[in-house]
Amino acid sequence: GAVPVFLPGNTGGRDAKVFSHSHLGFGNKQAMAALTPLELSACLPSGACTNGAWDLTISGSVTDGFCGTGKPVVCEAGIARALGKFDHGVGQPAVQGRRFIGMSLLFYAVNFARLAGHLPPRAPPRYTASELTAAAHALCAEPYAALFDRLKGRDPLTPDGAVAWRCFDLLY
């Protein structure tokens, strides 16, 4: 759980409960590799196909790969299962209704979801867990060909080869 710590200058001299957890060494590619093929295909928009090496095509003819089904609920369950193996009884607290700070990959995925029109532009970019989940579900629901055609080259933080993975990235 959370451990009370003193945060000078940030909390007006009060103690605050802070939860810090890292899946260091278990980034998004490792999380993807821990998913079953059914879970992983659920994390891609429908029509996005991979050859098993994270390379994507739009064609459905894939050898030793899979095609996206765009089912974010199945994807979320797979991610929770995979990450649950590493919690060692600590568990992550729910973020619903609480302030939280996400770093690194979340920044890129949020930027992409904003450009895709699934998150409203805000400065600073602060979103609730519900808004992020809704944006991820909307990204997952878009057919890959249409999503790719609409957004390829528009986001300098998302190479064209990563467009289909932003659904997973936002859920992760």
Side-chain angles (χ1 to χ4, degrees):
V3 177
V5 296
F6 180 68
L7 300 174
N10 249 353
T11 61
R14 298 182 321 264
D15 284 347
K17 290 191 177 197
V18 175
F19 177 85
S20 176
H21 185 75
S22 172
H23 292 290
L24 189 60
F26 196 70
N28 66 329
K29 293 286 195 260
Q30 290 81 6
M32 285 182 209
L35 298 178
T36 68
L38 177 69
E39 292 165 341
L40 193 51
S41 65
C43 295
L44 288 171
S46 64
C49 299
T50 178
N51 63 10
W54 314 119
D55 296 326
L56 293 164
T57 67
I58 296 176
S59 123
S61 59
V62 178
T63 306
D64 296 323
F66 51 86
C67 292
T69 59
K71 296 182 178 176
V73 173
V74 175
C75 178
E76 288 171 303
I79 291 168
R81 180 191 56 74
L83 292 179
K85 294 178 182 179
F86 297 92
D87 279 337
H88 305 292
V90 175
Q92 288 182 275
V95 294
Q96 245 2 354
R98 297 182 179 162
R99 289 188 65 209
F100 65 94
I101 298 172
M103 303 295 289
S104 190
L105 182 61
L106 183 63
F107 174 81
Y108 302 121
V110 165
N111 190 66
F112 184 80
R114 281 189 7 226
L115 286 173
H118 299 304
L119 288 171
R122 291 189 186 143
R126 292 183 180 159
Y127 301 98
T128 66
S130 295
E131 288 174 311
L132 295 173
T133 300
H137 284 228
L139 272 178
C140 290
E142 284 198 54
Y144 176 62
L147 180 68
F148 185 79
D149 285 346
R150 190 165 60 87
L151 293 165
K152 69 180 173 197
R154 285 202 46 215
D155 183 1
L157 303 175
T158 301
D160 289 348
V163 168
W165 297 110
R166 287 301 188 223
C167 166
F168 169 83
D169 294 340
L170 201 51
L171 290 171
Y172 178 70

